[in-house]
Amino acid sequence: MQFKLFDLGLIDYQSAWDFQKSVFLQVKVKQIHCALILCQHKPAITMGRKSDKGNILADKEDLQRLNIRIFEIERGGEVTYHGPGQLCVYPIVNLAYFKKDINWFLRSLEALILEVLLEFGIQAQTRPGLTGVWVNREKIASIGIAIKSWITFHGLSLNVKSSDLANFSLIRPCGQDIMMTSIENILRERVEIKRVKETLTRRWYETSNFARIG
Amino acid sequence: MKQVILPELGEGIEGASVTYWYFKEGDTVKEKDDLVELATDKATFNLPSPCSGALKQILRKEGDKVKVGEALATIEEQ
């Protein structure tokens, strides 16, 4: 199965969202098989379909001062924060080529994150009944997706740098009282986003469920 | 009259919540049009119309839960 790779670098949320939708259409009309979009966002808060506005703790003035916009988007899940230092991965996957199963897709993304973290020496965990990846009691990666015509968009965010975690205090991530962590926080050393991107893409193409089937 | 049924969404998924109807009762729909958006815990899913026709009755409104195999709406085929 061919996944076209797009690395958008640091990009504002709206532009990346528009880009996702254009790639989604290319997959839908079979111009390309599937795609993997990587990026970091300028600070933004996104609200999935299950979001409760009460889970945004900061007031409008604070968000304006910090230049953080709120986006109400079509993915599942609750409120989350995106910012530089966090790797966002948006797989545009036609599940008809793999398995028409939402849980299979979610669990495959979690498995990918676990593999990537293990390469960095981090033993992470998933939690039964919940979606996402934790290291002990703190969450390191979040997942929220949308599916149309069995083609996926949106995806996962993995916290890499420790610098931007403070902005999670502006919200109740996923509508819960969750402490967020990052690869740098766990390892207590500097980790370049580039290294995480390289590890993740290699795993995607070589060992993930998306490499094996299709 | 054709029923719009919630299909299997994946292993262990028993149902979903209706989050958005793209059409209202009486509207004309085409086969494969996005008809209704549903949400599970971390995913939204668009259900396409199974046929072309008139959306006769919406059986599950926005916010309602629906189980796999249950009907969401009826469409009068054209």
Side-chain angles (χ1 to χ4, degrees):
Chain A
M1 188 50 53
Q2 294 167 336
F3 276 87
K4 191 166 180 180
L5 181 65
F6 298 94
D7 186 351
L8 307 182
L10 180 64
I11 185 169
D12 65 277
Y13 192 84
Q14 183 69 54
S15 302
W17 191 15
D18 292 342
F19 186 79
Q20 272 198 75
K21 287 187 261 194
S22 71
V23 173
F24 174 92
L25 285 177
Q26 290 178 53
V27 171
K28 193 174 177 184
V29 299
K30 298 190 165 75
Q31 223 172 325
I32 53 178
H33 270 98
C34 294
L36 187 62
I37 303 171
L38 306 179
C39 64
Q40 294 178 71
H41 291 300
K42 293 175 183 170
I45 288 171
T46 61
M47 297 174 69
R49 286 288 194 248
K50 293 220 164 181
S51 295
D52 175 350
K53 281 200 169 119
N55 288 324
I56 298 176
L57 305 174
D59 56 34
K60 266 188 186 166
E61 289 73 28
D62 281 342
L63 295 177
Q64 264 170 3
R65 186 172 46 81
L66 293 164
N67 203 17
I68 298 178
R69 272 186 65 192
I70 298 173
F71 295 87
E72 290 186 37
I73 57 173
E74 63 277 83
R75 68 163 167 77
E78 254 279 358
V79 61
T80 197
Y81 168 79
H82 297 298
Q86 181 191 63
L87 179 62
C88 287
V89 181
Y90 301 130
I92 316 294
V93 181
N94 188 342
L95 291 177
Y97 299 143
F98 295 90
K99 196 172 180 182
K100 287 182 175 178
D101 184 323
I102 296 173
N103 268 349
W104 176 85
F105 182 68
L106 293 171
R107 303 291 85 80
S108 298
L109 292 183
E110 287 173 343
L112 170 80
I113 300 165
L114 292 176
E115 277 186 23
V116 169
L117 290 173
L118 204 54
E119 267 203 44
F120 283 85
I122 298 172
Q123 192 97 42
Q125 307 90 33
T126 55
R127 291 187 174 179
L130 294 175
T131 298
V133 176
W134 281 260
V135 180
N136 300 321
R137 299 172 76 171
E138 297 173 321
K139 197 172 187 184
I140 196 163
S142 306
I143 297 176
I145 60 160
I147 300 176
K148 284 184 180 185
S149 311
W150 285 109
I151 299 167
T152 68
F153 58 122
H154 295 288
L156 69 92
S157 54
L158 172 61
N159 302 326
V160 179
K161 311 293 278 185
S162 56
S163 52
D164 216 38
L165 287 178
N167 279 340
F168 275 104
S169 64
L170 302 169
I171 58 166
R172 289 180 77 232
C174 306
Q176 295 167 40
D177 293 316
I178 292 174
M179 289 294 290
M180 300 300 277
T181 192
S182 64
I183 295 179
E184 281 193 346
N185 256 25
I186 304 283
L187 298 179
R188 298 184 181 279
E189 63 182 50
R190 208 178 146 89
V191 175
E192 294 307 324
I193 287 262
K194 189 170 172 270
R195 236 183 95 204
V196 181
K197 276 200 283 199
E198 284 167 359
T199 308
L200 188 139
T201 37
R202 177 168 38 76
R203 287 282 175 180
W204 184 278
Y205 286 100
E206 291 177 8
T207 61
S208 77
N209 276 349
F210 309 101
R212 282 195 282 267
I213 312 170
Chain B
M1 200 78 76
K2 191 144 190 161
Q3 285 195 320
V4 180
I5 304 285
L6 185 67
E8 291 280 350
L9 300 175
E11 211 177 308
I13 301 177
E14 291 174 2
S17 308
V18 176
T19 46
Y20 187 74
W21 278 100
Y22 291 92
F23 295 92
K24 55 183 191 304
E25 286 178 356
D27 282 352
T28 303
V29 298
K30 280 191 291 202
E31 188 180 353
K32 293 187 179 172
D33 273 349
D34 283 329
L35 190 63
V36 56
E37 183 195 80
L38 300 123
T40 65
D41 183 30
K42 289 287 180 178
T44 57
F45 179 85
N46 270 29
L47 193 61
S49 177
C51 60
S52 299
L55 180 57
K56 197 76 184 167
Q57 196 183 5
I58 288 176
L59 303 167
R60 292 285 193 282
K61 300 200 162 34
E62 288 168 16
D64 286 355
K65 288 186 173 157
V66 56
K67 286 184 181 168
V68 169
E70 284 183 346
L72 286 145
T74 53
I75 294 174
E76 198 170 303
E77 283 183 84
Q78 279 167 3

